[in-house]
Amino acid sequence: MYATQALTDLVPLAAELDKNKVTPGVLGFIVFAALAVGVWLLMKSMNRHMGKVDFEEAPDPDAVVAEATAGAGSAQR
């Protein structure tokens, strides 16, 4: 069955509805709920993956040299 045939079958059912009122309906709710569940699952997965990250930043070699020379210069004064 084509989508246009399905819509023409549903048109008589929509005759008693107010034509000035447009609502998303059940399909809109289902799509919104599916998106919400998908976002929740992605956030849960992201938190689990971020918990596994063990990141320790290596010190910048230029900063270490600068601190050593600054510390040595102030110690001599």
Side-chain angles (χ1 to χ4, degrees):
M1 177 180 264
Y2 294 110
T4 55
Q5 289 175 338
L7 289 176
T8 56
D9 291 342
L10 293 176
V11 169
L13 297 175
E16 66 261 3
L17 296 177
D18 185 12
K19 294 188 188 275
N20 295 324
K21 184 178 180 183
V22 177
T23 61
V26 175
L27 180 62
F29 174 75
I30 291 171
V31 168
F32 181 77
L35 286 172
V37 168
V39 168
W40 180 72
L41 288 172
L42 283 173
M43 293 293 290
K44 192 172 179 180
S45 174
M46 183 191 69
N47 282 334
R48 186 173 44 237
H49 281 87
M50 291 299 286
K52 292 179 183 177
V53 172
D54 184 24
F55 179 72
E56 197 170 310
E57 187 173 351
D60 186 17
D62 295 335
V64 172
V65 171
E67 288 176 7
T69 57
S74 63
Q76 292 176 356
R77 290 184 187 179

